Amino acid sequence: MPAIEEHAPASILDQDLYKFCMQQAVLQHYPAVDAEYRFVNRDPSIQFNREAFEWLQERISGMAELRATSNDLDYLRSACPFFSAEYIAYLSEFRYNPSTEVACSLDEDLGSLSLRVSGNWTRIILYEVPLLAMIAEAHYRFVDVDWNYEGQRAKIAAKGEILARAGCKFAEFGTRRRRSFMTQDIVMSELSQIKSSGGGIAGTSNVYLARKYGVPPVGTIGHEWIMGIAALENTYKSADRLALLKWQQTYGSRLTVALADTFGTRVFFASFDRELAGTYNSVRHDSGDPLAFAQAVCEHYTELGMDLSTKRIVFSDSLTPEIAIGIKSKCDSYGIGCSFGIGTNFTNDFNLASNPAQAGTALNIVIKLFRCGGKPCVKLSDDRTKYTGDVDEVKRAQSELAEFY
């Protein structure tokens, strides 16, 4: 078993697969478009101090040194055959330029962090996940320090065994919310050892750890792809369909998981016709009631005359093993396949060191596409607390989509 690493590796592959996938799609379809991303802390009670901020700034500056090595590129060619030779060549020359692309500041009176990423969309699309991981680690290094690693191996092993015994197929999705790289490394060390004929680990979103532990790198479309296309093509009603068609142009019959909630599942289903439902073998749930979503998906496929046994739902919203098992039971009753992407519950589930009976606090932070091609971007979701973007543009989107609400 590979040794646990205490510190994050200086590797461009310490990144979620879907970001590379979206970078290739943006490079093909919108190579000259500029964009802007903004950090959102959904829990204002979570604060940052000067030490955390300075450590974060140093880590952000260090991103300028990251580059894909020949071994990295060889691994991507082998593990991810959907990446074109042209994209691999692009990635071989890719460099972060945080001095011009990332602006970060701290309001010490409020303890609030502001962060903005701007520049060419293809170039800046890779920042989100590593920045979120750094922000989380800064908080847990210098602000919320009442925790340790005691019991973490046993805790994660127990979670994996529970899921596997229940027949759940799951992936580790915890890069962006991890307390530290070491946390995620411990998680993957334990999960990769679980063997089960029915359930078990299907992979990890983190490419570096997928290579380290010999499991598949996995990922799906992100909301930003659909949000950006809605802005650039000036449509909310047709954005889901356009995004899926353009994705298909890039990936063909590979990476066929459709994300359903960017502007709400009712909007999505209006575009997800028989043609797209035949091309995409899975849909992903990321907000709202998962059981209601499963029922709606099955009803939609049935209306289209689709065989549910050939389809799958990927669930990835605030999951625990117990929630996943309950969802699987419902999906089994419908006769549709399911799998699970679990993040925070794997890489940020700690108890206080001073009081092991009390659970610690997990961050609820995101970095969302705010502007694309000079136009505002929004996400409506099936959960109003997850709405993001310019307030006036959210209202405009709701007005255009009023018939679905």
Side-chain angles (χ1 to χ4, degrees), residues 337-360:
C338 63
S339 61
F340 305 91
I342 303 179
T344 302
N345 187 256
F346 279 165
T347 62
N348 205 333
D349 182 17
F350 286 76
N351 291 347
L352 302 186
S354 62
N355 181 8
Q358 183 176 341

Side-chain angles (χ1 to χ4, degrees), residues 263-325:
F263 303 116
T265 53
R266 291 182 181 179
V267 179
F268 170 80
F269 285 136
S271 293
F272 200 56
D273 57 18
R274 185 174 177 82
E275 175 191 358
L276 288 174
T279 300
Y280 286 82
N281 63 12
S282 306
V283 294
R284 178 159 75 97
H285 169 267
D286 198 50
S287 65
D289 183 339
L291 300 183
F293 180 80
Q295 180 179 346
V297 169
C298 292
E299 289 174 352
H300 187 73
Y301 278 137
T302 300
E303 289 176 3
L304 295 176
M306 298 284 182
D307 180 355
L308 294 182
S309 68
T310 67
K311 300 299 181 181
R312 179 174 60 118
I313 307 174
V314 179
F315 295 89
S316 61
D317 181 36
S318 303
L319 296 174
T320 66
E322 294 73 21
I323 292 173
I325 291 168

